[in-house]
Amino acid sequence: MNEYSRLPRQSVLKKFLRMGAMIPYYIFKYLPKDTWFGPDKFIYAEDGLISFKSCAFLDDPEYQRAYQAGIQAAGHDYGWHFRFYVGLWAAQHACRLPTGDFVECGVSYGFLSKGITEFVKWNETQANKRTFFLVDTFEGLDESLITEAEKDQGLSERFQGKYPKDTINRVKETFANVKNVKIIKGAVPGILPSIQTKQVAFLSIDMNCAAPEKAALEYFYPKLVSGGVVVFDDYGHRGHDLQKQLADAVAAQYGNTILTLPTGQGFMIKP
């Protein structure tokens, strides 16, 4: 069985049980957020996640400022407050490392990366010693890189026509006033050699299909500095099983493992 083997389908029973388990999530999701959404209420229900633990980060003014910057870049609110927080935490951790560039493979409109530059005050604290590489086709998925298993799960249809041709121009405008940001247009893995970095402190991988994500991790892992962090956006999400399998395999080659987060993300730190 090769690495791109067909993925198992979910049984009808599993789908039925999953629907039942989501009832409390939707009850909280559609209640007015000002009645429950915040650390004082200890309830979070969004983006497929329900939690009764502290979400104090939601009241952090710096977090709120960064999230609003992300919304402005994307043009709408994805409703990814917890996922966004994980990305900000990882970036802040990377900023404490003495060296290493930032790389985002899978940028879309710059929702996360713009939030990061606001949160860590990139121009004032990081731009003089790091480069932020933003790597994307800026036109959606490269069909030649999607496996048959992923096509069977509807991956092509899910992202078809999602990104207009002027996406890269919007991203350039978003980051026009952010120093030392390099926007690189092209598909991974072909574009990887043009990313001129020797050391990486922060790596975000969110390309929505397995082959380019595997290639990106293989290429950048040797460049990660000690303490360098990798955030995988799709790692634990339903329908992205192959991405998880291949990322796990690459991590294992380097004697590392990836932590699955309740947000659906994967998280890894290089020793």
Side-chain angles (χ1 to χ4, degrees):
M1 186 177 295
N2 63 45
E3 61 184 8
Y4 298 128
S5 60
R6 183 180 295 276
L7 301 174
R9 294 184 179 275
Q10 294 285 338
S11 70
V12 174
L13 178 59
K14 285 183 178 179
K15 289 182 179 179
F16 178 78
L17 293 175
R18 187 172 69 237
M19 289 172 62
M22 291 297 289
I23 291 174
Y25 166 75
Y26 285 109
I27 290 174
F28 285 109
K29 179 178 174 64
Y30 292 108
L31 284 173
K33 289 191 175 182
D34 59 359
T35 66
W36 57 265
F37 194 87
D40 55 328
K41 309 299 191 301
F42 283 85
I43 298 174
Y44 179 97
E46 188 182 57
D47 192 25
L49 173 64
I50 184 168
S51 172
F52 296 89
K53 308 299 182 183
S54 173
C55 297
F57 64 88
L58 292 168
D59 280 349
D60 178 1
E62 293 301 311
Y63 169 88
Q64 293 171 352
R65 184 174 61 85
Y67 195 84
Q68 288 304 312
I71 291 175
Q72 186 174 0
H76 66 281
D77 185 354
Y78 289 109
W80 294 346
H81 286 82
F82 220 124
R83 266 200 267 181
F84 192 79
Y85 170 62
V86 170
L88 296 186
W89 188 96
Q92 190 174 57
H93 164 84
C95 287
R96 297 188 183 104
L97 302 175
T99 59
D101 294 322
F102 281 36
V103 180
E104 184 177 44
C105 291
V107 178
S108 184
Y109 296 108
F111 176 67
L112 176 60
S113 44
K114 180 60 176 178
I116 286 173
T117 59
E118 290 292 323
F119 190 70
V120 305
K121 297 179 173 58
W122 181 267
N123 282 353
E124 295 80 11
T125 68
Q126 303 300 316
N128 63 333
K129 58 182 178 181
R130 306 180 198 273
T131 300
F132 204 145
F133 295 92
L134 305 180
V135 186
D136 204 309
T137 66
F138 297 104
E139 296 180 0
L141 298 179
D142 184 336
E143 291 287 331
S144 68
L145 299 173
I146 304 175
T147 67
E148 290 303 316
E150 291 171 318
K151 289 178 182 178
D152 287 348
Q153 291 193 331
L155 193 65
S156 298
E157 292 79 7
R158 204 184 317 163
F159 293 96
Q160 188 175 20
K162 189 174 180 180
Y163 301 105
K165 297 294 184 180
D166 68 341
T167 299
I168 190 169
N169 294 327
R170 281 185 52 180
V171 173
K172 287 179 179 179
E173 184 178 346
T174 294
F175 290 91
N177 296 321
V178 184
K179 301 174 184 177
N180 220 16
V181 169
K182 292 189 177 180
I183 299 170
I184 299 177
K185 185 178 186 298
V188 172
I191 200 67
L192 289 174
S194 68
I195 304 171
Q196 299 298 313
T197 179
K198 295 181 179 180
Q199 293 183 311
V200 174
F202 172 87
L203 173 62
S204 171
I205 297 180
D206 181 15
M207 291 178 282
N208 300 305
C209 61
E213 294 201 354
K214 175 177 181 286
L217 186 57
E218 288 176 328
Y219 184 81
F220 287 113
Y221 193 93
K223 299 176 183 290
L224 283 171
V225 299
S226 179
V229 63
V230 186
V231 179
F232 304 84
D233 189 68
D234 305 317
Y235 179 81
H237 286 277
R238 191 177 301 112
H240 295 273
D241 308 67
L242 188 55
Q243 288 164 256
K244 180 182 185 304
Q245 292 171 14
L246 299 188
D248 285 341
V250 175
Q253 291 174 10
Y254 290 99
N256 209 337
T257 57
I258 301 170
L259 173 67
T260 303
L261 301 178
T263 56
Q265 294 161 295
F267 192 84
M268 178 170 62
I269 295 178
K270 185 175 181 179

